[in-house]
Amino acid sequence: MQMTFSCVALTVALFAAPAPLVSPLLADDWPQWLGPNRDTSSRETGLLRSWPEGGPPRAWLFRDCGKGYSGPAVVGGVLYILGSHDGTASLLAIDTATGAEQWRRPLAEEFTNGWGDGPRSTPCVDGNRVYAMTSGGTLACVTTAGRLVWSVAMQDLGGETPTWGYAESPLVDGRLVLCTPGGGQGAIAALDKQTGGVVWQTTGVTGNAHYSSVVPATILGVRQFVQLLPARLVGVAADDGRLLWEYPWTKPTAAIPTPLVDGNRVYATSGYGTGCACVEIAPSGSSADNGAAGGDGQEFVANEVYRNKNLKNKHGGVILLDGCVYGHSNPGGWTCQDFETGEVVWKERRAVGMGALGYADGMLYLLDKDTGDVALVEPSPEGYQERGRFTLEPQTEIRKPRGRIWVHPVVAGGKLYLRDQDLLFCFDVADQ
């Protein structure tokens, strides 16, 4: 099902011209999964706060993204996204002004699955390089001009392809690119972003990979990476991957949503009946240590603040805004949860079905995975406040029967991007 790659397959610049220099990120860029800060939030302003009947105007529709559930990264007027065509997974670059394809770089053999074929992750743009993970487990580094620099197979790092494929979106942090191969050699790995060489793997944290993505954080002055694995929520040191703290999880069918970090508190949620938890990280052995977790030389403990089933987010993601966590709970509907206490503030079961969310300029963008309905909602503890909606049209004809519209909404450069397999939509949401 996948091509064979060496652990570090360098393809040096023998055939291509040097890649152009890339300017620093702009306020309206979306360089990676969940945006500039990996928190679902866009930094731009000046967007519509209500939509006309029928929704915002469509700027363009690109019809050849191929199969897959990869989301877009948008930097410097170029959108990068993964898709599968004719059995091959590729990284595509698309002009955001016109919707025209600029280049396509084949990466690996297409991953196939009963719920849908093709890639599932969002590329990460860092300077003049793009880092992308295919569902079969190939992590590739490609220049913004489309030249392959190196690729690494997660299987060469001890990983085993998860049931629904690798869906993690890679993270670039300083000189490192982070990924979660899973396996006995170390569940989480840090590679040199220039060469793909292994800098460290978490020998103290092993086990299978699922579908969540690593989050960078500085907690109590220590730089670390937070990840949700099937059996535990962990923080590992950025310098060498040692385990700093852990909190037991309940081995859901799939651990998918990316954790939230706020100060020294970490929040995680899963569907399939699991629910959510908030933990507070404290020094090991301190007066704050109530024995909830820690030991074995760990530097910190994760003290449980609350654990309940008030928000069971399956895969659409959650966001923390002004002391409230917003996301879809299955069952239960769209939910506003008090971050401090874990109590439900409100639920809305009927307006929009289960799906993914995005956020920009004070507004939530909700996407119904089944119908393609898109709603603009003003987040408020006072209740569900919708400010417009429309339905994606047309919808793909290549999606497998069990597949849905699972790609998260992205807002960048005054544009709303939505994907349904081969169809990539661009809507103008700037308040002009």
Side-chain angles (χ1 to χ4, degrees), residues 302-370:
N303 293 311
E304 185 178 291
V305 179
Y306 57 81
R307 186 165 190 159
N308 57 49
K309 297 188 177 183
N310 289 339
L311 208 168
K312 302 183 290 293
N313 187 258
K314 195 170 183 180
H315 50 61
V318 291
I319 185 171
L320 174 61
L321 298 170
D322 298 325
C324 292
V325 178
Y326 295 87
H328 189 279
S329 184
N330 181 37
W334 290 95
T335 300
C336 173
Q337 180 185 35
D338 188 296
F339 178 69
E340 291 295 321
T341 67
E343 297 303 311
V344 172
V345 179
W346 57 257
K347 285 184 179 288
E348 171 54 54
R349 300 174 184 270
R350 293 178 295 274
V352 182
M354 183 169 71
L357 61 76
Y359 175 82
D361 197 16
M363 304 296 285
L364 294 170
Y365 296 74
L366 308 185
L367 171 64
D368 187 319
K369 68 180 179 63
D370 294 314

Side-chain angles (χ1 to χ4, degrees), residues 151-413:
S151 66
V152 172
M154 294 298 98
Q155 292 75 10
D156 288 342
L157 301 178
E160 181 179 343
T161 307
T163 301
W164 292 291
Y166 281 97
E168 178 188 27
S169 299
L171 165 72
V172 173
D173 189 80
R175 70 184 185 97
L176 305 177
V177 55
L178 278 295
C179 58
T180 309
Q185 294 176 211
I188 303 169
L191 310 182
D192 186 303
K193 70 178 183 181
Q194 299 297 332
T195 67
V198 176
V199 177
W200 53 254
Q201 276 189 259
T202 55
T203 55
V205 180
T206 57
N208 294 336
H210 264 207
Y211 313 97
S212 183
S213 296
V214 172
V215 178
T218 300
I219 301 176
L220 300 178
V222 178
R223 188 66 175 173
Q224 56 193 268
F225 302 116
V226 177
Q227 175 63 302
L228 179 63
L229 298 167
R232 51 183 170 167
L233 176 68
V234 300
V236 300
D239 56 0
D240 62 4
R242 68 189 183 280
L243 179 62
L244 296 174
W245 58 267
E246 64 180 325
Y247 177 77
W249 210 238
T250 55
K251 296 185 179 179
T253 301
I256 302 174
T258 298
L260 299 173
V261 180
D262 183 60
N264 67 332
R265 286 194 173 190
V266 180
Y267 175 99
T269 177
S270 293
Y272 305 94
T274 300
C276 61
C278 179
V279 297
E280 187 166 272
I281 311 305
S284 181
S286 71
S287 58
D289 181 356
N290 64 13
D296 298 327
Q298 295 174 36
E299 299 174 28
F300 301 97
V301 291
N303 293 311
E304 185 178 291
V305 179
Y306 57 81
R307 186 165 190 159
N308 57 49
K309 297 188 177 183
N310 289 339
L311 208 168
K312 302 183 290 293
N313 187 258
K314 195 170 183 180
H315 50 61
V318 291
I319 185 171
L320 174 61
L321 298 170
D322 298 325
C324 292
V325 178
Y326 295 87
H328 189 279
S329 184
N330 181 37
W334 290 95
T335 300
C336 173
Q337 180 185 35
D338 188 296
F339 178 69
E340 291 295 321
T341 67
E343 297 303 311
V344 172
V345 179
W346 57 257
K347 285 184 179 288
E348 171 54 54
R349 300 174 184 270
R350 293 178 295 274
V352 182
M354 183 169 71
L357 61 76
Y359 175 82
D361 197 16
M363 304 296 285
L364 294 170
Y365 296 74
L366 308 185
L367 171 64
D368 187 319
K369 68 180 179 63
D370 294 314
T371 65
D373 288 345
V374 185
L376 183 68
V377 175
E378 185 173 350
S380 169
E382 302 303 316
Y384 180 88
Q385 301 179 16
E386 189 170 304
R387 303 294 185 236
R389 69 163 53 212
F390 68 98
T391 301
L392 278 183
E393 292 291 345
Q395 293 187 15
T396 186
E397 297 180 358
I398 69 170
R399 191 189 322 126
K400 286 193 174 181
R402 290 194 291 176
R404 297 293 185 269
I405 306 173
W406 284 318
V407 181
H408 290 212
V410 165
V411 177

